[in-house]
Amino acid sequence: MFLLLLAAAVPAAAQAPQDDPDLDINFAQPDFTLVALPTTLRVPRHKSAFRVTHRFTRPLGDGSFGDLAGDLFGLDSGAQIGLEYRYGLMRGTQIGFHRTSDRTIEFFAQHEVKAQSESFPFTISALATTDGTNNFRDSYSPGLGVVISRTVAEHAAFYLEPVWVNNSNSLPSEVVDDNDTILLGVGTRRRVRPTVYLTAERPPRVAGYGPGSAQIGVGLEKRSGG
């Protein structure tokens, strides 16, 4: 009987220091991004995350279907690689940077203002970013936004993200009136199997400069670890 009690007590003592709910898997919100839009998932305090992105540069809506198929649906047109690192500065606050292979660097910070609870239906986070081309030496594009999420048990998460971006026109010689853009990102992640998710997002431009195209992202995700 003494051995059984001792065996039962050891795991409890070992787990006591890890009393941080941010270390647990959030099944409705398992990642810090959807496709490109951020989520409200918190980086645990003094922990970090590393991400590699790979984006083919040809839009699927560019050209005829036959031409697109001949390009192997964008696989032959090259890709842009991104490296990202984020760090949990304090409880609910994360900072990080993202560098793409066109030598654009983005620095970002996100802070949870209000968490979803029984008395409050949403999680609200404040977002601040700034991009700089040529390894953050040339054209700069700061942005401010709000990330609003609603999780439904362990099954789904929904997002609304108004974002303002300054200096959004990459061709300064064409700037006349509008060099700011307001985006309204919408997205969702649905858990269809214990470790499988469907993801979709769209950030339409609702005001300011807009070149006439809007990104739509969809994804099928498989969670392989914790």
Side-chain angles (χ1 to χ4, degrees):
M1 179 65 71
F2 174 74
L3 291 177
L4 290 177
L5 290 175
L6 181 61
V10 169
Q15 293 174 5
Q18 295 188 4
D19 191 20
D20 185 355
D22 291 346
L23 294 172
D24 299 331
I25 299 174
N26 188 329
F27 291 102
Q29 191 173 225
D31 202 355
F32 305 105
T33 60
L34 292 171
V35 178
L37 294 177
T39 69
T40 53
L41 182 65
R42 306 195 319 190
V43 180
R45 180 174 176 266
H46 295 169
K47 303 296 183 180
S48 60
F50 178 74
R51 184 167 71 113
V52 179
T53 62
H54 184 281
R55 313 292 193 196
F56 292 109
T57 55
R58 174 172 177 170
L60 292 179
D62 184 15
S64 66
F65 179 82
D67 183 51
L68 187 64
D71 197 33
L72 200 57
F73 299 97
L75 270 69
D76 294 342
S77 60
Q80 189 175 93
I81 311 300
L83 302 176
E84 179 181 293
Y85 177 79
R86 62 179 68 213
Y87 177 75
L89 187 63
M90 60 183 70
R91 186 102 181 253
T93 301
Q94 54 186 287
I95 58 175
F97 70 90
H98 186 101
R99 184 188 188 275
T100 53
S101 52
D102 66 351
R103 300 171 63 180
T104 296
I105 296 178
E106 176 191 63
F107 294 98
F108 60 86
Q110 186 172 330
H111 175 72
E112 184 180 274
V113 178
K114 182 75 172 177
Q116 179 177 324
S117 63
E118 293 183 359
S119 60
F120 193 76
F122 308 106
T123 294
I124 301 176
S125 293
L127 177 69
T129 70
T130 182
D131 292 11
T133 60
N134 190 22
N135 287 324
F136 212 76
R137 288 184 297 208
D138 289 341
S139 181
Y140 303 103
S141 299
L144 295 172
V146 178
V147 184
I148 304 170
S149 72
R150 167 72 177 176
T151 57
V152 180
E154 297 180 347
H155 309 299
F158 302 90
Y159 300 91
L160 181 67
E161 307 185 15
V163 178
W164 167 83
V165 180
N166 178 246
N167 195 25
S168 53
N169 189 342
S170 59
L171 301 173
S173 62
E174 296 185 5
V175 173
V176 179
D177 296 318
D178 296 324
N179 196 23
D180 296 60
T181 299
I182 296 177
L183 308 170
L184 186 61
V186 291
T188 183
R189 175 181 271 118
R190 303 293 299 272
R191 188 182 181 203
V192 295
R193 298 289 295 165
T195 60
V196 177
Y197 298 81
L198 293 176
T199 302
E201 69 173 32
R202 186 172 187 226
R205 301 172 180 86
V206 297
Y209 172 74
S213 60
Q215 171 184 305
I216 298 176
V218 295
L220 178 65
E221 297 178 315
K222 170 71 175 177
R223 181 170 54 81
S224 60

